[in-house]
Amino acid sequence: EPEVTQTPSHQVTQMGQEVILRCVPISNHLYFYWYRQILGQKVEFLVSFYNNEISEKSEIFDDQFSVERPDGSNFTLKIRSTKLEDSAMYFCASINTGNTEAFFGQGTRLTVV
Amino acid sequence: RKEVEQDPGPFNVPEGATVAFNCTYSNSASQSFFWYRQDCRKEPKLLMSVYSSGNEDGRFTAQLNRASQYISLLIRDSKLSDSATYLCVVKVNYGGSQGNLIFGKGTKLSVKP
């Protein structure tokens, strides 16, 4: 069964450092998303991406965040200068056209120290 | 006002019990509705979509009341393996975009032997 894969599974970084979280969406999917979940809190929408550009972004997705699809398979989330409050689980998801089900990757646990 | 609100839980029930979860949503533009299941420190996984006519999948029954902006999930004959957090999710489409998923905080279910 096709799946969304994310790397790394766990990333520890020092405050102020840049991190790049990587995702490989399901190959024939066209819509891509990043969500985050702070421990004990709800899953929050960050950004959606379609046709090589951002479709929508939340208030959380400020100038410190960026997304990119550098090639035909990877979808990345970059945080330029991490803060302690960026510590969370980051989930990538993808949806196919005409399909309502979003498939989630297993997530990257980001710990900022 | 929170976009998606759920019973806070936790629900602690014995095996074989019937348990019901409720959810309300505030955005009347919500177009699709889902129940996701999330195990501890794992990604959300689709349990079932929710339709206005109501739908059933084995022991699970979901109902949607658009007029009241209310969604429910009923689990019959609960199993130990049903222990998880159940997330009420709505999809809101803005303009011509695919839209994004808005999550409730989730209701934790613990099924005891």
Tab-separated table of all heavy atoms in Angstrom, chain A residues 31 33 35 37 39-45 48 55-56 89 91 95-107 109, chain B residues 2-4 32 34 36 38 41-46 49 51 87 91-92 94 96-106:
chain	number	residue	atom	x	y	z
A	31	TYR	N	-1.812	17.292	-3.869
A	31	TYR	CA	-1.972	18.289	-2.814
A	31	TYR	C	-1.165	17.830	-1.607
A	31	TYR	O	-1.306	16.691	-1.145
A	31	TYR	CB	-3.445	18.447	-2.422
A	31	TYR	CG	-4.308	18.922	-3.563
A	31	TYR	CD1	-4.875	18.023	-4.451
A	31	TYR	CD2	-4.548	20.279	-3.754
A	31	TYR	CE1	-5.653	18.454	-5.510
A	31	TYR	CE2	-5.338	20.723	-4.798
A	31	TYR	CZ	-5.883	19.806	-5.678
A	31	TYR	OH	-6.653	20.238	-6.717
A	33	TYR	N	0.486	18.821	2.406
A	33	TYR	CA	0.195	19.594	3.609
A	33	TYR	C	1.260	19.348	4.672
A	33	TYR	O	1.857	18.271	4.733
A	33	TYR	CB	-1.155	19.166	4.213
A	33	TYR	CG	-2.330	19.299	3.280
A	33	TYR	CD1	-2.600	18.329	2.318
A	33	TYR	CD2	-3.179	20.395	3.368
A	33	TYR	CE1	-3.667	18.457	1.466
A	33	TYR	CE2	-4.263	20.527	2.511
A	33	TYR	CZ	-4.496	19.550	1.558
A	33	TYR	OH	-5.569	19.673	0.709
A	35	TYR	N	1.251	19.686	8.910
A	35	TYR	CA	0.546	19.922	10.152
A	35	TYR	C	1.546	19.755	11.286
A	35	TYR	O	2.570	19.088	11.137
A	35	TYR	CB	-0.593	18.911	10.350
A	35	TYR	CG	-1.762	19.084	9.421
A	35	TYR	CD1	-1.737	18.575	8.123
A	35	TYR	CD2	-2.908	19.758	9.840
A	35	TYR	CE1	-2.819	18.746	7.274
A	35	TYR	CE2	-3.990	19.932	8.998
A	35	TYR	CZ	-3.935	19.421	7.716
A	35	TYR	OH	-5.009	19.584	6.877
A	37	GLN	N	1.712	19.060	15.747
A	37	GLN	CA	0.982	18.734	16.967
A	37	GLN	C	1.936	18.879	18.140
A	37	GLN	O	2.846	18.051	18.319
A	37	GLN	CB	0.416	17.309	16.903
A	37	GLN	CG	-0.488	16.965	18.072
A	37	GLN	CD	-1.124	15.601	17.919
A	37	GLN	OE1	-0.556	14.699	17.308
A	37	GLN	NE2	-2.320	15.427	18.463
A	39	LEU	N	2.857	18.505	21.929
A	39	LEU	CA	2.510	17.418	22.842
A	39	LEU	C	1.283	17.763	23.685
A	39	LEU	O	1.249	18.802	24.350
A	39	LEU	CB	3.700	17.101	23.740
A	39	LEU	CG	3.563	15.861	24.637
A	39	LEU	CD1	3.443	14.603	23.789
A	39	LEU	CD2	4.747	15.760	25.580
A	40	GLY	N	0.279	16.900	23.606
A	40	GLY	CA	-0.920	17.097	24.408
A	40	GLY	C	-1.936	18.042	23.800
A	40	GLY	O	-2.990	18.277	24.386
A	41	GLN	N	-1.625	18.571	22.608
A	41	GLN	CA	-2.538	19.509	21.983
A	41	GLN	C	-3.060	18.950	20.663
A	41	GLN	O	-2.731	17.837	20.267
A	41	GLN	CB	-1.831	20.860	21.780
A	41	GLN	CG	-1.412	21.495	23.092
A	41	GLN	CD	-0.907	22.908	22.925
A	41	GLN	OE1	-1.243	23.588	21.967
A	41	GLN	NE2	-0.099	23.354	23.864
A	42	LYS	N	-3.896	19.744	20.007
A	42	LYS	CA	-4.528	19.233	18.790
A	42	LYS	C	-3.601	19.370	17.589
A	42	LYS	O	-2.604	20.090	17.606
A	42	LYS	CB	-5.833	19.981	18.528
A	42	LYS	CG	-5.648	21.445	18.183
A	42	LYS	CD	-6.991	22.093	17.888
A	42	LYS	CE	-6.807	23.544	17.493
A	42	LYS	NZ	-8.103	24.191	17.180
A	43	VAL	N	-3.950	18.649	16.555
A	43	VAL	CA	-3.239	18.747	15.286
A	43	VAL	C	-3.616	20.083	14.631
A	43	VAL	O	-4.799	20.395	14.478
A	43	VAL	CB	-3.626	17.573	14.357
A	43	VAL	CG1	-2.951	17.699	13.008
A	43	VAL	CG2	-3.279	16.235	15.016
A	44	GLU	N	-2.590	20.850	14.249
A	44	GLU	CA	-2.832	22.200	13.711
A	44	GLU	C	-2.329	22.297	12.274
A	44	GLU	O	-1.209	21.867	11.968
A	44	GLU	CB	-2.095	23.249	14.546
A	44	GLU	CG	-2.510	23.302	15.994
A	44	GLU	CD	-1.636	24.276	16.766
A	44	GLU	OE1	-0.443	23.982	16.962
A	44	GLU	OE2	-2.162	25.345	17.168
A	45	PHE	N	-3.116	22.908	11.436
A	45	PHE	CA	-2.740	23.127	10.039
A	45	PHE	C	-1.651	24.187	9.945
A	45	PHE	O	-1.725	25.227	10.597
A	45	PHE	CB	-3.982	23.575	9.262
A	45	PHE	CG	-3.705	24.105	7.881
A	45	PHE	CD1	-3.328	23.250	6.861
A	45	PHE	CD2	-3.824	25.457	7.603
A	45	PHE	CE1	-3.076	23.742	5.589
A	45	PHE	CE2	-3.578	25.957	6.342
A	45	PHE	CZ	-3.199	25.097	5.326
A	48	SER	N	-0.674	24.418	3.019
A	48	SER	CA	-1.006	23.496	1.930
A	48	SER	C	-0.284	23.953	0.669
A	48	SER	O	0.023	25.141	0.504
A	48	SER	CB	-2.522	23.442	1.691
A	48	SER	OG	-3.025	24.720	1.361
A	55	SER	N	-0.907	27.085	-1.373
A	55	SER	CA	-2.324	27.366	-1.582
A	55	SER	C	-2.901	28.168	-0.427
A	55	SER	O	-3.714	29.067	-0.613
A	55	SER	CB	-3.119	26.069	-1.698
A	55	SER	OG	-2.666	25.283	-2.748
A	56	GLU	N	-2.475	27.796	0.757
A	56	GLU	CA	-3.040	28.372	1.949
A	56	GLU	C	-2.043	28.196	3.092
A	56	GLU	O	-1.271	27.235	3.093
A	56	GLU	CB	-4.310	27.586	2.301
A	56	GLU	CG	-5.401	28.348	2.948
A	56	GLU	CD	-6.592	27.461	3.172
A	56	GLU	OE1	-6.881	26.613	2.310
A	56	GLU	OE2	-7.214	27.615	4.225
A	89	MET	N	5.414	17.517	17.054
A	89	MET	CA	5.395	16.486	16.033
A	89	MET	C	4.930	17.155	14.752
A	89	MET	O	3.911	17.866	14.757
A	89	MET	CB	4.421	15.388	16.450
A	89	MET	CG	4.550	14.132	15.674
A	89	MET	SD	6.007	13.203	16.183
A	89	MET	CE	5.511	11.577	15.696
A	91	PHE	N	3.648	16.573	10.950
A	91	PHE	CA	3.090	15.572	10.046
A	91	PHE	C	2.954	16.149	8.641
A	91	PHE	O	2.460	17.264	8.456
A	91	PHE	CB	1.703	15.127	10.508
A	91	PHE	CG	1.681	14.382	11.805
A	91	PHE	CD1	1.168	14.968	12.955
A	91	PHE	CD2	2.150	13.076	11.883
A	91	PHE	CE1	1.133	14.275	14.163
A	91	PHE	CE2	2.118	12.378	13.087
A	91	PHE	CZ	1.614	12.983	14.225
A	95	ILE	N	-3.037	14.380	-0.570
A	95	ILE	CA	-4.370	14.017	-1.061
A	95	ILE	C	-4.315	13.958	-2.577
A	95	ILE	O	-3.646	14.782	-3.214
A	95	ILE	CB	-5.424	15.062	-0.627
A	95	ILE	CG1	-5.556	15.120	0.888
A	95	ILE	CG2	-6.784	14.761	-1.249
A	95	ILE	CD1	-6.565	16.155	1.380
A	96	ASN	N	-5.047	13.014	-3.129
A	96	ASN	CA	-5.151	12.934	-4.574
A	96	ASN	C	-6.337	13.754	-5.056
A	96	ASN	O	-7.285	13.990	-4.301
A	96	ASN	CB	-5.322	11.475	-4.993
A	96	ASN	CG	-5.000	11.271	-6.455
A	96	ASN	OD1	-4.589	12.206	-7.140
A	96	ASN	ND2	-5.191	10.070	-6.936
A	97	THR	N	-6.297	14.206	-6.263
A	97	THR	CA	-7.410	14.973	-6.827
A	97	THR	C	-8.680	14.152	-6.781
A	97	THR	O	-8.673	12.965	-7.126
A	97	THR	CB	-7.121	15.335	-8.288
A	97	THR	OG1	-5.853	15.982	-8.350
A	97	THR	CG2	-8.189	16.259	-8.839
A	98	GLY	N	-9.743	14.776	-6.334
A	98	GLY	CA	-11.028	14.095	-6.294
A	98	GLY	C	-11.187	13.149	-5.130
A	98	GLY	O	-12.245	12.550	-4.945
A	99	ASN	N	-10.159	13.011	-4.323
A	99	ASN	CA	-10.234	12.126	-3.170
A	99	ASN	C	-10.288	12.979	-1.908
A	99	ASN	O	-9.599	13.978	-1.810
A	99	ASN	CB	-8.996	11.235	-3.151
A	99	ASN	CG	-9.135	10.058	-2.190
A	99	ASN	OD1	-9.840	10.142	-1.197
A	99	ASN	ND2	-8.452	8.980	-2.481
A	100	THR	N	-11.103	12.591	-0.955
A	100	THR	CA	-11.175	13.401	0.259
A	100	THR	C	-10.255	12.902	1.359
A	100	THR	O	-10.025	13.610	2.323
A	100	THR	CB	-12.612	13.414	0.796
A	100	THR	OG1	-13.034	12.064	1.033
A	100	THR	CG2	-13.556	14.078	-0.189
A	101	GLU	N	-9.739	11.677	1.221
A	101	GLU	CA	-8.934	11.140	2.308
A	101	GLU	C	-7.521	11.688	2.262
A	101	GLU	O	-6.849	11.635	1.222
A	101	GLU	CB	-8.880	9.620	2.247
A	101	GLU	CG	-8.042	9.018	3.376
A	101	GLU	CD	-7.987	7.514	3.365
A	101	GLU	OE1	-8.672	6.901	2.532
A	101	GLU	OE2	-7.258	6.956	4.206
A	102	ALA	N	-7.065	12.200	3.385
A	102	ALA	CA	-5.684	12.649	3.519
A	102	ALA	C	-4.862	11.526	4.132
A	102	ALA	O	-5.265	10.934	5.128
A	102	ALA	CB	-5.606	13.893	4.404
A	103	PHE	N	-3.725	11.238	3.526
A	103	PHE	CA	-2.828	10.221	4.039
A	103	PHE	C	-1.689	10.922	4.772
A	103	PHE	O	-1.028	11.797	4.199
A	103	PHE	CB	-2.275	9.368	2.893
A	103	PHE	CG	-3.312	8.511	2.241
A	103	PHE	CD1	-4.169	9.029	1.272
A	103	PHE	CD2	-3.455	7.179	2.594
A	103	PHE	CE1	-5.144	8.237	0.670
A	103	PHE	CE2	-4.417	6.380	1.984
A	103	PHE	CZ	-5.263	6.910	1.035
A	104	PHE	N	-1.470	10.519	6.001
A	104	PHE	CA	-0.455	11.155	6.831
A	104	PHE	C	0.806	10.310	6.906
A	104	PHE	O	0.733	9.080	6.961
A	104	PHE	CB	-0.990	11.374	8.254
A	104	PHE	CG	-1.939	12.531	8.362
A	104	PHE	CD1	-3.267	12.398	8.005
A	104	PHE	CD2	-1.496	13.764	8.821
A	104	PHE	CE1	-4.146	13.465	8.095
A	104	PHE	CE2	-2.364	14.839	8.914
A	104	PHE	CZ	-3.685	14.687	8.546
A	105	GLY	N	1.944	10.980	6.940
A	105	GLY	CA	3.190	10.307	7.250
A	105	GLY	C	3.270	10.038	8.749
A	105	GLY	O	2.434	10.509	9.528
A	106	GLN	N	4.293	9.301	9.136
A	106	GLN	CA	4.422	8.913	10.538
A	106	GLN	C	4.942	10.031	11.424
A	106	GLN	O	4.967	9.888	12.641
A	106	GLN	CB	5.332	7.687	10.652
A	106	GLN	CG	4.699	6.437	10.051
A	106	GLN	CD	5.561	5.212	10.214
A	106	GLN	OE1	6.780	5.278	10.056
A	106	GLN	NE2	4.953	4.094	10.513
A	107	GLY	N	5.339	11.126	10.813
A	107	GLY	CA	5.696	12.303	11.579
A	107	GLY	C	7.175	12.404	11.903
A	107	GLY	O	7.899	11.403	11.922
A	109	ARG	N	9.396	14.031	14.979
A	109	ARG	CA	9.360	14.681	16.295
A	109	ARG	C	10.522	15.653	16.370
A	109	ARG	O	11.687	15.239	16.349
A	109	ARG	CB	9.458	13.641	17.412
A	109	ARG	CG	9.414	14.264	18.807
A	109	ARG	CD	9.204	13.220	19.887
A	109	ARG	NE	7.959	12.508	19.709
A	109	ARG	CZ	6.755	12.997	20.018
A	109	ARG	NH1	6.635	14.210	20.524
A	109	ARG	NH2	5.685	12.270	19.817
B	2	LYS	N	-13.917	27.924	19.227
B	2	LYS	CA	-13.127	26.887	18.605
B	2	LYS	C	-13.839	26.355	17.375
B	2	LYS	O	-15.060	26.204	17.375
B	2	LYS	CB	-12.890	25.757	19.603
B	2	LYS	CG	-12.056	26.179	20.795
B	2	LYS	CD	-11.903	25.047	21.789
B	2	LYS	CE	-11.185	25.530	23.038
B	2	LYS	NZ	-11.156	24.491	24.074
B	3	GLU	N	-13.068	26.021	16.345
B	3	GLU	CA	-13.691	25.576	15.094
B	3	GLU	C	-14.304	24.200	15.223
B	3	GLU	O	-15.361	23.943	14.644
B	3	GLU	CB	-12.630	25.588	14.001
B	3	GLU	CG	-12.211	26.995	13.610
B	3	GLU	CD	-11.589	27.043	12.230
B	3	GLU	OE1	-12.274	26.730	11.251
B	3	GLU	OE2	-10.410	27.394	12.156
B	4	VAL	N	-13.607	23.305	15.921
B	4	VAL	CA	-14.111	21.951	16.101
B	4	VAL	C	-13.977	21.606	17.585
B	4	VAL	O	-12.874	21.644	18.132
B	4	VAL	CB	-13.324	20.929	15.251
B	4	VAL	CG1	-13.861	19.527	15.480
B	4	VAL	CG2	-13.395	21.300	13.771
B	32	SER	N	-16.690	18.502	4.246
B	32	SER	CA	-16.472	17.069	4.438
B	32	SER	C	-16.150	16.834	5.901
B	32	SER	O	-15.584	17.706	6.566
B	32	SER	CB	-15.313	16.565	3.566
B	32	SER	OG	-15.514	16.896	2.215
B	34	PHE	N	-15.018	13.851	9.014
B	34	PHE	CA	-14.306	12.587	9.210
B	34	PHE	C	-14.131	12.320	10.697
B	34	PHE	O	-14.086	13.236	11.517
B	34	PHE	CB	-12.899	12.650	8.581
B	34	PHE	CG	-12.882	13.156	7.164
B	34	PHE	CD1	-12.736	14.512	6.901
B	34	PHE	CD2	-13.004	12.288	6.098
B	34	PHE	CE1	-12.725	14.990	5.605
B	34	PHE	CE2	-12.979	12.759	4.792
B	34	PHE	CZ	-12.843	14.111	4.550
B	36	TYR	N	-11.018	10.496	12.667
B	36	TYR	CA	-9.691	9.909	12.602
B	36	TYR	C	-9.383	9.282	13.952
B	36	TYR	O	-9.897	9.700	14.985
B	36	TYR	CB	-8.624	10.976	12.295
B	36	TYR	CG	-8.420	11.274	10.824
B	36	TYR	CD1	-9.372	11.997	10.097
B	36	TYR	CD2	-7.276	10.863	10.160
B	36	TYR	CE1	-9.175	12.287	8.754
B	36	TYR	CE2	-7.072	11.150	8.815
B	36	TYR	CZ	-8.024	11.859	8.132
B	36	TYR	OH	-7.827	12.143	6.795
B	38	GLN	N	-6.108	8.294	16.464
B	38	GLN	CA	-4.685	8.545	16.686
B	38	GLN	C	-4.217	7.760	17.894
B	38	GLN	O	-4.724	7.961	19.003
B	38	GLN	CB	-4.402	10.039	16.876
B	38	GLN	CG	-2.911	10.352	16.952
B	38	GLN	CD	-2.604	11.840	17.023
B	38	GLN	OE1	-3.374	12.621	17.555
B	38	GLN	NE2	-1.462	12.241	16.473
B	41	ARG	N	1.434	9.058	20.137
B	41	ARG	CA	2.645	9.456	19.431
B	41	ARG	C	2.719	8.907	18.012
B	41	ARG	O	3.812	8.709	17.463
B	41	ARG	CB	3.888	9.060	20.223
B	41	ARG	CG	3.976	9.803	21.539
B	41	ARG	CD	5.193	9.410	22.345
B	41	ARG	NE	5.250	10.160	23.602
B	41	ARG	CZ	6.136	11.092	23.868
B	41	ARG	NH1	7.060	11.400	22.999
B	41	ARG	NH2	6.116	11.736	25.006
B	42	LYS	N	1.550	8.639	17.429
B	42	LYS	CA	1.496	8.170	16.049
B	42	LYS	C	0.728	9.175	15.201
B	42	LYS	O	0.148	10.132	15.716
B	42	LYS	CB	0.780	6.809	15.971
B	42	LYS	CG	1.456	5.722	16.766
B	42	LYS	CD	2.714	5.248	16.090
B	42	LYS	CE	3.273	4.015	16.779
B	42	LYS	NZ	4.534	3.557	16.163
B	43	GLU	N	0.714	8.930	13.892
B	43	GLU	CA	-0.003	9.830	13.001
B	43	GLU	C	-1.497	9.549	13.042
B	43	GLU	O	-1.926	8.425	13.337
B	43	GLU	CB	0.520	9.687	11.559
B	43	GLU	CG	0.069	8.447	10.817
B	43	GLU	CD	0.949	7.237	11.089
B	43	GLU	OE1	1.620	7.189	12.132
B	43	GLU	OE2	0.924	6.333	10.231
B	44	PRO	N	-2.325	10.550	12.707
B	44	PRO	CA	-3.764	10.312	12.588
B	44	PRO	C	-4.039	9.369	11.422
B	44	PRO	O	-3.409	9.482	10.364
B	44	PRO	CB	-4.338	11.701	12.303
B	44	PRO	CG	-3.273	12.664	12.678
B	44	PRO	CD	-1.974	11.969	12.456
B	45	LYS	N	-4.983	8.475	11.631
B	45	LYS	CA	-5.387	7.568	10.559
B	45	LYS	C	-6.891	7.642	10.388
B	45	LYS	O	-7.631	7.649	11.380
B	45	LYS	CB	-4.956	6.129	10.865
B	45	LYS	CG	-3.456	5.940	10.804
B	45	LYS	CD	-3.063	4.485	10.937
B	45	LYS	CE	-1.551	4.348	10.786
B	45	LYS	NZ	-1.090	2.958	10.952
B	46	LEU	N	-7.331	7.683	9.145
B	46	LEU	CA	-8.754	7.799	8.872
B	46	LEU	C	-9.504	6.579	9.382
B	46	LEU	O	-9.167	5.447	9.055
B	46	LEU	CB	-8.992	7.968	7.366
B	46	LEU	CG	-10.447	8.100	6.947
B	46	LEU	CD1	-11.035	9.412	7.463
B	46	LEU	CD2	-10.586	8.021	5.429
B	49	SER	N	-15.262	8.313	6.958
B	49	SER	CA	-15.870	9.571	6.553
B	49	SER	C	-17.291	9.604	7.127
B	49	SER	O	-17.849	8.565	7.487
B	49	SER	CB	-15.924	9.666	5.032
B	49	SER	OG	-14.625	9.589	4.486
B	51	TYR	N	-21.251	10.992	6.521
B	51	TYR	CA	-22.181	11.491	5.515
B	51	TYR	C	-23.502	11.879	6.186
B	51	TYR	O	-23.858	11.366	7.246
B	51	TYR	CB	-22.420	10.428	4.445
B	51	TYR	CG	-21.144	9.933	3.819
B	51	TYR	CD1	-20.698	8.633	4.026
B	51	TYR	CD2	-20.367	10.782	3.028
B	51	TYR	CE1	-19.519	8.182	3.467
B	51	TYR	CE2	-19.192	10.331	2.466
B	51	TYR	CZ	-18.767	9.038	2.680
B	51	TYR	OH	-17.593	8.605	2.120
B	87	LEU	N	-10.362	11.629	16.813
B	87	LEU	CA	-10.300	13.019	16.358
B	87	LEU	C	-11.455	13.308	15.404
B	87	LEU	O	-11.628	12.620	14.401
B	87	LEU	CB	-8.978	13.280	15.625
B	87	LEU	CG	-7.705	12.872	16.352
B	87	LEU	CD1	-6.489	13.094	15.443
B	87	LEU	CD2	-7.544	13.685	17.625
B	91	LYS	N	-13.367	19.318	6.889
B	91	LYS	CA	-12.593	19.866	5.775
B	91	LYS	C	-13.312	21.098	5.271
B	91	LYS	O	-14.509	21.049	4.975
B	91	LYS	CB	-12.469	18.848	4.657
B	91	LYS	CG	-11.495	19.249	3.561
B	91	LYS	CD	-11.356	18.121	2.570
B	91	LYS	CE	-10.328	18.444	1.513
B	91	LYS	NZ	-10.308	17.406	0.465
B	92	VAL	N	-12.569	22.196	5.216
B	92	VAL	CA	-13.133	23.458	4.766
B	92	VAL	C	-12.440	23.841	3.470
B	92	VAL	O	-11.220	23.907	3.408
B	92	VAL	CB	-12.934	24.560	5.829
B	92	VAL	CG1	-13.569	25.857	5.364
B	92	VAL	CG2	-13.523	24.131	7.159
B	94	TYR	N	-11.741	26.610	0.637
B	94	TYR	CA	-11.774	28.049	0.412
B	94	TYR	C	-11.577	28.305	-1.070
B	94	TYR	O	-10.582	27.905	-1.651
B	94	TYR	CB	-10.664	28.739	1.207
B	94	TYR	CG	-10.788	28.532	2.697
B	94	TYR	CD1	-10.001	27.592	3.352
B	94	TYR	CD2	-11.695	29.271	3.442
B	94	TYR	CE1	-10.110	27.404	4.712
B	94	TYR	CE2	-11.809	29.084	4.813
B	94	TYR	CZ	-11.017	28.152	5.444
B	94	TYR	OH	-11.129	27.954	6.789
B	96	GLY	N	-11.326	27.894	-4.784
B	96	GLY	CA	-11.168	26.710	-5.613
B	96	GLY	C	-10.145	25.735	-5.097
B	96	GLY	O	-9.785	24.787	-5.785
B	97	SER	N	-9.669	25.965	-3.880
B	97	SER	CA	-8.607	25.106	-3.384
B	97	SER	C	-9.163	23.765	-2.912
B	97	SER	O	-10.371	23.595	-2.757
B	97	SER	CB	-7.861	25.789	-2.240
B	97	SER	OG	-8.642	25.756	-1.066
B	98	GLN	N	-8.270	22.843	-2.693
B	98	GLN	CA	-8.651	21.535	-2.170
B	98	GLN	C	-9.095	21.635	-0.719
B	98	GLN	O	-9.756	20.753	-0.209
B	98	GLN	CB	-7.452	20.579	-2.296
B	98	GLN	CG	-7.685	19.170	-1.821
B	98	GLN	CD	-8.550	18.363	-2.766
B	98	GLN	OE1	-8.999	18.863	-3.771
B	98	GLN	NE2	-8.802	17.116	-2.444
B	99	GLY	N	-8.755	22.746	-0.065
B	99	GLY	CA	-9.141	22.933	1.319
B	99	GLY	C	-8.167	22.279	2.266
B	99	GLY	O	-7.188	21.663	1.858
B	100	ASN	N	-8.427	22.431	3.535
B	100	ASN	CA	-7.569	21.777	4.507
B	100	ASN	C	-8.392	21.211	5.650
B	100	ASN	O	-9.570	21.534	5.814
B	100	ASN	CB	-6.477	22.729	4.992
B	100	ASN	CG	-7.033	23.852	5.834
B	100	ASN	OD1	-7.414	23.643	6.971
B	100	ASN	ND2	-7.083	25.052	5.299
B	101	LEU	N	-7.780	20.342	6.412
B	101	LEU	CA	-8.449	19.658	7.504
B	101	LEU	C	-8.291	20.437	8.796
B	101	LEU	O	-7.196	20.891	9.128
B	101	LEU	CB	-7.856	18.262	7.686
B	101	LEU	CG	-7.919	17.324	6.479
B	101	LEU	CD1	-7.244	16.003	6.805
B	101	LEU	CD2	-9.361	17.094	6.057
B	102	ILE	N	-9.410	20.595	9.492
B	102	ILE	CA	-9.402	21.245	10.802
B	102	ILE	C	-9.712	20.172	11.834
B	102	ILE	O	-10.758	19.508	11.750
B	102	ILE	CB	-10.442	22.375	10.885
B	102	ILE	CG1	-10.287	23.347	9.708
B	102	ILE	CG2	-10.338	23.091	12.219
B	102	ILE	CD1	-8.980	24.095	9.687
B	103	PHE	N	-8.828	20.020	12.800
B	103	PHE	CA	-8.943	18.948	13.782
B	103	PHE	C	-9.530	19.444	15.092
B	103	PHE	O	-9.210	20.544	15.553
B	103	PHE	CB	-7.561	18.362	14.075
B	103	PHE	CG	-7.008	17.492	12.986
B	103	PHE	CD1	-6.473	18.050	11.834
B	103	PHE	CD2	-7.008	16.120	13.116
B	103	PHE	CE1	-5.958	17.252	10.830
B	103	PHE	CE2	-6.490	15.303	12.128
B	103	PHE	CZ	-5.962	15.872	10.984
B	104	GLY	N	-10.339	18.578	15.697
B	104	GLY	CA	-10.684	18.781	17.090
B	104	GLY	C	-9.532	18.297	17.960
B	104	GLY	O	-8.587	17.660	17.473
B	105	LYS	N	-9.626	18.576	19.230
B	105	LYS	CA	-8.533	18.215	20.130
B	105	LYS	C	-8.507	16.714	20.407
B	105	LYS	O	-7.493	16.173	20.818
B	105	LYS	CB	-8.645	18.985	21.438
B	105	LYS	CG	-7.362	18.944	22.253
B	105	LYS	CD	-7.414	19.888	23.440
B	105	LYS	CE	-6.111	19.778	24.237
B	105	LYS	NZ	-6.092	20.643	25.421
B	106	GLY	N	-9.626	16.054	20.154
B	106	GLY	CA	-9.647	14.614	20.327
B	106	GLY	C	-10.253	14.190	21.646
B	106	GLY	O	-10.229	14.943	22.634
